[in-house]
Amino acid sequence: MKKSLVHLLVVGSLLSPAFVQADEKELPDVFQGFTWNSQITISYDDLDALLDATVLDVGMSDRSSAKSSSTIGTRMRSSKNNDTAFEANRFIFEELKNSSVKDAFHDIRVSLEQVPSEISLSELKLQEQLAYWLNLYNVALLERLISEYPIHDMEDELTGKDSILDRKFLTVAGQSLSLNDIQHNIVYKKFGDKPIVMYGFYQGNIGSPSLNPEPYTGEKVYHQLEQRAQEFVNSNRGVVPAKKNTLEVSRFYEQSKALFPDFDNDLKKHLSIFANADIRSDVKQAKRINADIENWSITDIYGTSRTYGAGAATNSAAMLDSVVSNSSKPIGEEGSGSGIGATNLSSLSDQIASRTVNFGRFTPEQLELVQKLNMARKENSGSVEISDLPTKSDESNN
């Protein structure tokens, strides 16, 4: 299917009355509202450079399975989830663990938390707000996973009693937030009439939507989400037709049930938009949906037996060369070579820190406009009561 047609179908699905309509009235006042004609955009140049150097984009799944044994002489372990072992974009967790570049994730996360103190989110377009929340979520998650690495199985991290998704370690506009707050209590409530937003939430494991290799931006956030949706739906970890008109789908869809009130029917309509021709009829004709596909393995670049390029990547240097050769931006000084060594990682950290500190999130022209908007807001502002968003336990008791 041509991209233009897919785009038209997606736009149609976003407006479909079959899906629940978002209701931001449940959100704190500081997260409500938008400005449809806003000219203010948030800069993510620092995050762009960071993701460009640390994410390996594996592309569309070919639905192939991994062999049961690992390559001799490598640190790469074979996966028990052979059907999905080749899928999902990869991240260089191991290489970053002992590098100062990991600090850049912390700095960017803190910088993004402070954006609403510079300008009210209501002064931004809806698309700009969506990109902001997705980027903050993914940066914060990466920061935590890097600090806790090595992790091989993410199930306890994502679903356990002390889930990384439930910890309230973020503060935005005076609100104490967890990653689940951002996903379920903010984005799903404000943008929930567009189920495609679910694909922006990378969770660190192969079974989740892939980490986008570039920041989300207001200008193209829905196009970026379309790409993530197409890759996920047409993969073994997303949707697999089974016998007797049964459709096996990812558990991630069950986690996002709030987006599909009539789960089976609404999900089928949604999946049929992105499904390639080889599975589209199976999706439409399915009589039953089982949300039981899972792969909790972390998306570390060493956690797969897949090979990239012309030959097998069997050591750190080879794997990191793959990451950099996949990158469109030079790392380190000109002529320094394609490998990411300690020197280049340190240089990258310096570049990111410089961009964040010296340039901030807005251009000088936009800063002038932001200052004017803030002055007008202060003149018209009243008192606002700040409170934490509800937790899962709070909602279950109501």
Side-chain angles (χ1 to χ4, degrees):
M1 183 180 292
K2 294 182 180 179
K3 286 186 177 180
S4 58
L5 180 55
V6 170
H7 182 74
L8 289 173
L9 288 171
V10 170
V11 171
S13 74
L14 299 184
L15 301 176
S16 172
F19 300 116
V20 64
Q21 294 298 304
D23 186 0
E24 68 169 20
K25 292 179 181 178
E26 298 180 35
L27 302 180
D29 290 344
V30 288
F31 299 147
Q32 293 185 27
F34 68 97
T35 302
W36 70 270
N37 61 346
S38 174
Q39 299 301 310
I40 299 173
T41 59
I42 302 173
S43 172
Y44 299 105
D45 285 351
D46 49 357
L47 180 57
D48 191 22
L50 190 57
L51 293 177
D52 193 62
T54 57
V55 179
L56 176 58
D57 189 346
V58 304
M60 291 289 290
S61 167
D62 59 7
R63 293 192 181 273
S64 59
S65 298
K67 295 180 180 180
S68 59
S69 59
S70 60
T71 307
I72 297 175
T74 78
R75 289 179 289 167
M76 297 162 63
R77 296 167 292 279
S78 61
S79 172
K80 63 181 180 181
N81 306 95
N82 289 344
D83 289 340
T84 57
F86 289 168
E87 301 179 342
N89 290 349
R90 302 302 158 122
F91 188 81
I92 56 172
F93 285 106
E94 183 171 330
E95 191 71 13
L96 287 176
K97 181 66 177 181
N98 298 314
S99 166
S100 62
V101 172
K102 68 179 183 294
D103 298 333
F105 286 91
H106 169 79
D107 294 341
I108 292 175
R109 188 261 293 175
V110 171
S111 174
L112 290 178
E113 284 179 290
Q114 294 172 349
V115 167
S117 66
E118 299 177 59
I119 181 172
S120 171
L121 293 179
S122 63
E123 300 288 354
L124 305 176
K125 291 181 179 179
L126 276 173
Q127 297 95 317
E128 198 69 37
Q129 292 183 39
L130 176 58
Y132 167 78
W133 288 117
L134 295 179
N135 288 329
L136 175 58
Y137 177 102
N138 289 319
V139 167
L141 177 64
L142 286 170
E143 177 195 358
R144 289 291 162 150
L145 293 181
I146 293 169
S147 67
E148 296 186 17
Y149 189 88
I151 307 168
H152 303 305
D153 189 304
M154 289 286 297
E155 185 169 12
D156 286 342
E157 292 289 335
L158 297 176
T159 65
K161 187 176 181 180
D162 186 31
S163 168
I164 194 172
L165 302 178
D166 285 327
R167 301 173 198 166
K168 291 183 179 288
F169 65 95
L170 297 161
T171 303
V172 180
Q175 299 283 324
S176 178
L177 302 175
S178 69
L179 294 173
N180 269 337
D181 284 331
I182 292 177
Q183 181 178 0
H184 296 280
N185 295 330
I186 297 177
V187 172
Y188 282 7
K189 288 182 178 177
K190 185 157 187 169
F191 305 91
D193 54 337
K194 304 173 181 62
I196 196 174
V197 299
M198 67 189 298
Y199 299 102
F201 292 101
Y202 163 74
Q203 293 190 335
N205 63 312
I206 291 176
S208 73
S210 276
L211 176 63
N212 208 48
E214 62 180 3
Y216 290 98
T217 63
E219 182 181 12
K220 56 181 181 179
V221 61
Y222 284 113
H223 175 66
Q224 292 171 308
L225 289 171
E226 285 177 36
Q227 292 178 315
R228 295 275 62 86
Q230 286 180 284
E231 185 277 323
F232 191 73
V233 171
N234 297 289
S235 72
N236 288 336
R237 73 191 197 284
V239 178
V240 178
K243 296 179 180 179
K244 298 181 180 179
N245 290 328
T246 298
L247 207 61
E248 306 288 344
V249 302
S250 169
R251 286 187 181 274
F252 188 75
Y253 289 111
E254 194 170 55
Q255 296 171 23
S256 300
K257 256 188 171 180
L259 302 177
F260 307 101
D262 183 359
F263 186 71
D264 283 14
N265 290 327
D266 289 348
L267 182 57
K268 279 170 53 179
K269 292 176 184 177
H270 171 78
L271 296 177
S272 65
I273 295 170
F274 301 101
N276 288 340
D278 58 336
I279 67 167
R280 193 177 306 125
S281 61
D282 293 303
V283 171
K284 291 181 177 180
Q285 296 171 15
K287 303 298 183 184
R288 180 182 177 188
I289 292 181
N290 291 333
D292 56 4
I293 299 177
E294 59 184 11
N295 187 334
W296 299 106
S297 299
I298 194 169
T299 57
D300 180 55
I301 203 167
Y302 296 109
T304 174
S305 59
R306 182 172 182 172
T307 59
Y308 301 91
T314 57
N315 57 61
S316 176
M319 292 302 289
L320 292 175
D321 280 346
S322 295
V323 176
V324 180
S325 64
N326 186 65
S327 173
S328 62
K329 301 181 183 65
I331 302 301
E333 296 182 357
E334 184 177 354
S336 61
S338 61
I340 300 183
T343 302
N344 283 342
L345 285 175
S346 177
S347 175
L348 176 64
S349 184
D350 291 341
Q351 293 174 33
I352 293 167
S354 176
R355 293 184 188 191
T356 303
V357 172
N358 294 333
F359 299 100
R361 296 290 161 196
F362 305 101
T363 65
E365 294 78 13
Q366 288 186 338
L367 275 176
E368 184 177 355
L369 176 58
V370 167
Q371 290 170 354
K372 290 179 180 179
L373 289 171
N374 284 338
M375 288 182 66
R377 183 159 53 112
K378 287 181 179 179
E379 292 176 359
N380 299 314
S381 64
S383 60
V384 178
E385 183 178 346
I386 304 297
S387 60
D388 286 352
L389 290 175
T391 63
K392 285 184 175 180
S393 58
D394 292 332
E395 293 178 342
S396 65
N397 292 329
N398 292 333

